[in-house]
Amino acid sequence: MLMRDVIPHILNRGTSQLAQDQVETPPRKTFHHTIDIYLKDSNAFMNTYFARYFEWQGICRERWFHECIHGNLLAAGGVFVTKRAHQEYVEETFPFQRVDCYLNTFQVKQCSAYLLFRFCVDERPVSLGYQQIVFADKDKRIARFPKEIVERVKEYEVSAPVLAN
C-alpha cells in the first residue's frame, strides 16, 4: 500500500493521542511539544500562516531528537535530511493560542523513517502532517541509522492496521 494512503488514515482518526483502533501497535512513547502562536505567525485576518506548520514540524523534530534521541546529531555520526513533507490544514488557529504538537514515528527502517505530526488546540486537531527523513553521514551520503538511535526512534513508532480495500 502506498504511504500517502496509509499515513493520512493514521493521522485523521486520532486527536492528540493515537486512538487504539487506528494502530496495530500503539507507541510506547509520544513526544509532546507546545508552541505559542504570536502576531508574527498570522496574516491580516489573524489566522495562522500555513507555512508556520512546516516550520513547527522542524522545531518539533529538532526538540524531539535533542531531548529524546541524542543530544547532538552530528556527534551521532550524521544528519537528518527531509525527503518528503506534507501538511493538512484542518482548522484555523489564531494568535495567542497554544498549540500542542504530538510526534510519533512510522515505518522506521535502516536509513529512513516517517515522523507523524499532530497539531492540536484544546485537544482538537488543527493540522496534521508528516515527514519522511533519511539519515546521512557527515559526507552527505545516505547511511544507516546508528543502532542506539534506531532503538530510541522505535520507542515512538506506530504500526498501521491492515486496511481493507
Side-chain angles (χ1 to χ4, degrees), residues 93-113:
T93 54
F94 302 97
F96 308 108
Q97 286 182 312
R98 178 157 285 168
V99 177
D100 292 298
C101 178
Y102 299 93
L103 181 151
N104 285 98
T105 60
F106 181 68
Q107 289 200 341
V108 178
K109 299 190 178 186
Q110 294 177 359
C111 302
S112 69

Side-chain angles (χ1 to χ4, degrees), residues 109-125:
K109 299 190 178 186
Q110 294 177 359
C111 302
S112 69
Y114 282 87
L115 304 181
L116 307 178
F117 299 92
R118 292 173 318 283
F119 296 96
C120 301
V121 171
D122 298 327
E123 297 187 26
R124 290 182 335 274

